[in-house]
Amino acid sequence: MSTTIDARGLSCPQPVLLILDAIKKGGGTELIVLVDTDTSKENVSRAAESQGCTVTNVQPDGDGYQIFISRV
Amino acid sequence: MKNFFAGRWGIIGVGGIIGILAALLQKLGNPGNMGICVACFERDIAGALGLHRAAVVQYIRPEIIGFVVGSMIAAYLFKEFRPRVGSAPIVRFVLGAVAMIGALVFLGCPWRAVLRLAGGDGNAILGLLGLTGGIWIGTRFLKNGYNLGRTQATHTTVGWMLPLIMLGFLALMFVFPQVQDQEKSGVLFYSLKGPGAMHAPLFPALIVGLAIGFLAQRSRFCTMGAIRDLVLFGQIHLLTGFISLVAFAFLSNMALGQFHPGFAGQPVAHTMHIWNFAGMALAGLAFALAGGCPGRQLFLCGEGDGDAAVFVMGMIVGAGFSHNFGLASSPKGVGPHGIAAVVIGLVVCLFIGFTMRKKTA
């Protein structure tokens, strides 16, 4: 099961706060995060990895990216 | 393509380069412990334009122009220019003005706070403690759902506005260049004494600004974020860059004979500890609520962020109010209305922090 988080248009540090919340809450095994800047992409990936998660894929999505995060 | 500058060694390297270049700018003529100060330099720009008439702080600082344009060049080269706007612009304007008022009570932004420390100014310790305190309050709001709402993608023109304004300032410097012993050249004011009269030559200052703008855009360098991420997430990524800046500025100052430890008689500084702390606490809180330090706001402008541009305009207008209303400090101490301004500024920030808590949909 995957959970999608839309962090597009949000400025620092909102995207990171959202995904850390989602990781803490548990639930599905996969998180899909939508972001619209490279900074958010890097920050979200770094934060996910700091929580022991793995960034399995990053795909361009419109003007932004879809980040796939797997919870171990 | 992996962005080297956003990695650990990238941010440390960029912080180090900024530290060295700041010390060099001071050697080239910028004021003491003010190789770079985003707040002071925007205040000087406000003065050069006549938005305030404090005769000692009037000069269009090419470094600021370089920060924005350098970031824009990097953003275009790496396809990161994304025009966007619409995330509570008027609130960002107010936060910019309030941040400037706080910074001018301390006499420096976070960049200058660490450059003052690296030059031996002990008063900077109070400022940095205040900065941390203000950011800590900001993180409490962030944890409780504070946010400014989403931006929208927009016309390229919107993203170009602030860079164009900066290029306009540069054009004014060429049309109305400084004339020796003249306080005015055409429409521009030029300080004859005081910190505004101390500056590196135009082209070196502009080139250093462009280089820092370019590198900071790539590395996402942010002095407020450095402390915020540590307090909020326990992350030290940005902090390593900030510490690197202090370390390399310190070493460069030692090498250039610019390190003079002490509290009294430091350049463009006062020793009123409580107000050094409180001024920077106010600035730190405002930067935290606005999502970036004053430098980062300039780099975001280069990426097409129209909201960051509104924050910058808020800072420039805030500088006008600071000097017109006697809110800014001087080496003698706080201005006649500086203390009242800090209190009002804190109330404004708390109001914004407590009331903008709608959860993002």
Side-chain angles (χ1 to χ4, degrees):
Chain A
M1 196 184 83
S2 66
T3 313
T4 301
I5 297 171
D6 185 359
R8 288 173 299 185
L10 294 176
S11 47
C12 267
Q14 300 294 336
V16 172
L17 279 170
L18 286 178
I19 71 130
L20 290 184
D21 256 6
I23 290 171
K24 213 186 289 172
K25 273 186 195 142
T29 54
E30 188 182 49
L31 279 177
I32 301 170
V33 188
L34 310 177
V35 296
D36 63 347
T37 65
D38 289 76
T39 304
S40 291
K41 179 187 76 177
E42 291 160 7
N43 290 346
V44 164
S45 303
R46 195 182 298 118
E49 281 164 1
S50 78
Q51 298 298 306
C53 299
T54 316
V55 176
T56 52
N57 196 5
V58 179
Q59 280 183 354
D61 171 43
D63 278 342
Y65 302 95
Q66 276 191 330
I67 307 167
F68 296 82
I69 297 167
S70 151
R71 285 189 279 215
V72 189
Chain B
M1 186 174 60
K2 187 90 179 151
N3 176 8
F4 164 77
F5 289 105
R8 175 177 299 169
W9 292 108
I11 189 88
I12 291 175
V14 170
I17 290 169
I18 294 174
I20 294 167
L21 290 176
L24 282 175
L25 281 174
Q26 184 183 332
K27 191 77 189 168
L28 286 173
N30 280 2
N33 299 340
M34 205 193 281
I36 297 165
C37 172
V38 178
C40 313
F41 286 4
E42 288 174 354
R43 180 268 320 271
D44 292 350
I45 289 176
L49 300 171
L51 300 181
H52 66 70
R53 299 299 167 92
V56 291
V57 283
Q58 297 172 323
Y59 180 66
I60 300 265
R61 295 278 179 183
E63 292 89 345
I64 298 294
I65 298 166
F67 278 15
V68 176
V69 177
S71 162
M72 191 179 196
I73 292 169
Y76 265 100
L77 270 180
F78 293 90
K79 298 191 169 52
E80 290 185 10
F81 186 82
R82 288 199 171 82
R84 53 193 189 269
V85 78
S87 166
I90 184 64
V91 174
R92 290 177 189 264
F93 183 91
V94 171
L95 288 173
V98 167
M100 180 60 97
I101 289 168
L104 291 180
V105 168
F106 166 69
L107 291 174
C109 68
W111 291 53
R112 182 166 191 246
V114 288
L115 290 174
R116 281 172 62 172
L117 186 67
D121 180 349
N123 303 295
I125 297 167
L126 280 302
L128 287 167
L129 288 173
L131 178 71
T132 307
I135 294 170
W136 179 82
I137 298 171
T139 62
R140 299 301 98 184
F141 285 122
L142 287 164
K143 281 203 161 173
N144 284 298
Y146 164 82
N147 71 82
L148 290 166
R150 290 179 200 271
T151 58
Q152 306 289 328
T154 182
H155 304 283
T156 302
T157 310
V158 176
W160 271 83
M161 274 298 119
L162 196 94
L164 283 174
I165 290 170
M166 289 292 160
L167 290 173
F169 291 163
L170 187 62
L172 283 177
M173 285 190 94
F174 288 123
V175 176
F176 305 114
Q178 188 164 21
V179 182
Q180 180 130 31
D181 298 327
Q182 295 291 318
E183 62 182 26
K184 220 174 165 200
S185 168
V187 301
L188 293 182
F189 291 87
Y190 286 95
S191 292
L192 294 178
K193 55 185 173 58
M198 302 171 74
H199 52 81
L202 194 159
F203 284 105
L206 184 63
I207 289 165
V208 167
L210 286 167
I212 291 177
F214 189 98
L215 292 171
Q217 194 281 332
R218 299 311 299 142
S219 63
R220 333 306 187 193
F221 185 85
C222 178
T223 60
M224 184 283 297
I227 297 170
R228 179 201 61 205
D229 287 359
L230 178 71
V231 176
L232 196 56
F233 311 128
Q235 268 192 24
I236 58 158
H237 173 74
L238 289 171
L239 187 65
T240 56
F242 199 34
I243 291 172
S244 173
L245 192 168
V246 191
F248 278 89
F250 169 71
L251 293 173
S252 307
N253 282 335
M254 291 295 275
L256 295 168
Q258 295 177 163
F259 183 77
H260 307 289
F263 281 85
Q266 291 288 340
V268 202
H270 62 78
T271 55
M272 297 174 77
H273 301 320
I274 291 174
W275 300 107
N276 277 328
F277 179 93
M280 215 45 174
L282 173 59
L285 174 56
F287 292 136
L289 292 177
C293 80
R296 178 77 185 140
Q297 303 283 354
L298 292 171
F299 310 135
L300 285 169
C301 294
E303 293 178 12
D305 187 333
D307 295 316
V310 174
F311 184 92
V312 171
M313 297 316 271
M315 283 192 76
I316 292 173
V317 171
F321 278 106
S322 275
H323 284 282
N324 290 341
F325 286 9
L327 317 180
S329 299
S330 72
K332 292 189 202 114
V334 294
H337 301 294
I339 292 170
V342 168
V343 174
I344 293 168
L346 282 171
V347 171
V348 169
C349 287
L350 294 177
F351 172 69
I352 291 171
F354 277 117
T355 53
M356 298 192 62
R357 290 165 74 159
K358 189 164 158 277
K359 290 279 180 194
T360 38

